[in-house]
Amino acid sequence: MQRRFLSLVAAGVLTVLAVSGCGPAGSGGAGGGGKKLTVGLIMLQGDEYFRGIQTALEAAVKADGGKVIAANSNNDAGAEAAAAQNMIQRQVDAIIMQPVTVAGSLATMKSIKAASIPLICYGNCTADATNPSVVKGVVQSDNTALGTATGKAAAEYIKGKLGGSARIGILNCDSAAETCKLRKAGFKKALEDAGVTATYASDQEGFLADKATTVATNMLSGDPGINLLWAANEGGTVGEVSAVQQSGKTVPVFGTDISKQLAGFLQDKNNILQATTGQDPQTTAKDAYERAKNAVAGNANSPLETDLPGITYSRDDPAAVNKYLGK
């Protein structure tokens, strides 16, 4: 999943802060031992994955009598910095943050550290974003594994239905998150390990559904030989499915992330989306909160980082898709 908007001024960001619970930040005290915590949550965008993060975190914090102050950076480092400063001023007990990029977000992360507020990184944590001198804990999906899992499903399809060879078009989100590159590497490695012949005809940016649809449409019309598509995030996957549907061609799509829309695509009789590997926002949020509580209590998180496996949903396993949809 990534959405890119125009940069927001600090004053504008503060208007989008959402507060779960009431009373001044930090009113319940800081630390473990059953004390009520105020936890800051900085999200990257407003898609289903991040809504799941917020809902799960709010439920966990509320169960302990605390509250969450949530903000959406909309993929903008300036908005992210303003949200963090607001939380620092409100003296939150801990901040759980998915950085826009490590390079663009590191100064903000260090400012949280300088304010003596425990910082837990989730979702897009690489390089210095995993440094114990900056963060007190890391929890995220194993992004390489997200790509690998879908790659394995694609390899089986290529062997069984494409004669062992595929000309592949890719929609990436490389500029939006370092982790997107890991997903792509995992996908390609899975095809290599499976022994299929993969020719990468096109690898273009497309992680917002509307733009991704246009890019994928042009990709298919520009190279009629493409017979398989893969996308690195939810928006790209939606775009590829839409492009294939509009083209009238029979090109299978393999994706990344999961949402109700993507689950519906897996059940659609048009047979376009074949498999996608999704993240687990509920477990991510709960693990991040436990790490935050531990850090506030003055205890070290060991190991510092937890990498969560993804969940693959495919046409070959309708029960898993139905379970995700609550059927």
Side-chain angles (χ1 to χ4, degrees):
M1 49 91 213
Q2 310 284 350
R3 303 187 183 194
R4 196 171 290 277
F5 296 87
L6 293 176
S7 297
L8 302 175
V9 295
V13 176
L14 303 185
T15 65
V16 304
L17 291 173
V19 181
S20 172
C22 56
S27 60
K35 293 182 179 180
K36 302 174 183 179
L37 301 180
T38 296
V39 179
L41 171 65
I42 301 178
M43 298 171 287
L44 200 63
Q45 58 192 42
D47 64 14
E48 191 167 329
Y49 170 74
F50 287 100
R51 290 195 296 272
I53 290 284
Q54 183 174 353
T55 299
L57 181 64
E58 288 176 343
V61 175
K62 183 178 179 180
D64 286 343
K67 61 176 176 285
V68 174
I69 297 175
N72 189 335
S73 72
N74 286 325
N75 257 304
D76 184 88
E80 177 184 72
Q85 287 306 310
N86 177 270
M87 293 174 185
I88 291 171
Q89 291 169 10
R90 298 183 68 167
Q91 298 180 336
V92 298
D93 298 309
I95 294 177
I96 297 172
M97 168 183 172
Q98 172 152 342
V100 174
T101 64
V102 175
S105 304
L106 189 58
T108 295
M109 299 176 79
K110 288 183 175 180
S111 72
I112 296 170
K113 167 72 173 178
S116 299
I117 297 174
L119 173 62
I120 306 299
C121 185
Y122 75 99
N124 186 22
C125 313
T126 58
D128 286 338
T130 64
N131 192 319
S133 68
V134 178
V135 297
K136 295 295 184 181
V138 176
V139 56
Q140 61 186 340
S141 299
D142 183 332
N143 282 280
T144 300
L146 293 180
T148 299
T150 302
K152 289 179 178 179
E156 289 301 312
Y157 187 97
I158 293 168
K159 288 178 179 179
K161 299 185 178 183
L162 298 179
S165 177
R167 187 170 178 82
I168 301 171
I170 288 177
L171 288 185
N172 69 63
C173 52
D174 292 355
S175 70
E178 286 89 345
T179 50
C180 289
K181 298 175 183 178
L182 298 176
R183 297 175 183 184
K184 182 164 59 178
F187 176 79
K188 289 184 173 182
K189 185 66 162 56
L191 297 188
E192 179 184 339
D193 290 347
V196 300
T197 300
T199 301
Y200 297 100
S202 184
D203 183 351
Q204 299 182 50
E205 181 174 279
F207 54 82
L208 301 179
D210 290 344
K211 179 181 177 181
T213 300
T214 301
V215 175
T217 296
N218 293 336
M219 189 184 294
L220 290 172
S221 62
D223 189 336
I226 291 176
N227 60 355
L228 187 143
L229 295 172
W230 175 79
N233 80 320
E234 178 186 347
T237 305
V238 171
E240 288 183 342
V241 172
S242 299
V244 172
Q245 192 167 18
Q246 292 172 16
S247 73
K249 296 183 177 183
T250 304
V251 179
V253 171
F254 293 81
T256 313
D257 291 333
I258 186 63
S259 65
K260 290 181 180 179
Q261 183 179 22
L262 292 183
F265 286 161
L266 287 169
Q267 296 182 328
D268 198 303
K269 293 181 181 179
N270 62 24
N271 198 36
I272 296 173
L273 184 61
Q274 302 299 314
T276 186
T277 302
Q279 303 182 74
D280 185 349
Q282 289 76 26
T283 302
T284 299
K286 291 175 183 177
D287 193 308
Y289 177 48
E290 290 302 317
R291 288 171 176 272
K293 287 197 295 184
N294 203 38
V296 170
N299 301 318
N301 284 302
S302 181
L304 182 73
E305 179 173 349
T306 296
D307 295 317
L308 302 174
I311 303 171
T312 301
Y313 300 89
S314 74
R315 289 183 175 270
D316 295 333
D317 188 2
V321 179
N322 284 330
K323 182 179 180 181
Y324 174 80
L325 291 171
K327 295 181 180 181

